[in-house]
Amino acid sequence: FDGRMPVRAILQAFGDLVYLDPTDSRWEQCDANSAAGADGDSRGILGMVVVTGINGDPCTILLSGAIRADAKFPALTINGPCYVSETAGSITQTRPSTTDAVQRIIGAALTADEIFFRPDFFYTTNV
């Protein structure tokens, strides 16, 4: 198994951080600001889009492994942790700080534009 999974998704772009939506079994953009059970909830299964698909058509999601996205991950700090961002579908190396935002490490930077993606199931929320 190479860590990729062909699935159905709402249209996403290469490098988008997505979660498996339990209401329709599609991959949709996750967001550190989304409440538990709401659209964008980043507490469950996460993936990175590697091959896009049109709404409802198959796409390919990376569940674990390395991904390079020059336009999506510019200027990462090598070996620094990456988190779910407060911007839907994005990653950040700045720990989210908004009240109730999810703080979840999803991997670490290998280079300035490549991450080793391996989401931790542990998360906290800001109070």
Side-chain angles (χ1 to χ4, degrees), residues 27-78:
W27 292 90
E28 301 178 15
Q29 291 182 339
C30 68
D31 184 337
N33 289 323
S34 293
D39 286 347
D41 185 3
S42 58
R43 294 164 178 84
I45 299 172
L46 301 182
M48 299 288 298
V49 176
V50 292
V51 177
T52 60
I54 298 172
N55 190 6
D57 289 342
C59 66
T60 303
I61 303 296
L62 177 73
L63 298 176
S64 178
I67 181 170
R68 178 180 173 164
D70 297 353
K72 198 79 170 175
F73 313 147
L76 297 173
T77 300
I78 295 171

Side-chain angles (χ1 to χ4, degrees), residues 76-82 93 107-112 114-116:
L76 297 173
T77 300
I78 295 171
N79 204 33
C82 298
Q93 286 194 296
L110 295 170
T111 68
E114 181 179 24
I115 66 169
F116 178 68

Side-chain angles (χ1 to χ4, degrees), residues 3 8 18 25 28 34 38 42 45 54-55 63-66 75 77 86 92-93 97-98 103 105 117 120-121 123:
R8 299 198 182 281
V18 293
S25 298
E28 301 178 15
S34 293
S42 58
I45 299 172
I54 298 172
N55 190 6
L63 298 176
S64 178
T77 300
E86 295 184 73
T92 182
Q93 286 194 296
S97 59
T98 303
Q103 294 180 357
I105 295 175
F117 180 73
D120 194 329
F121 278 101
Y123 67 86

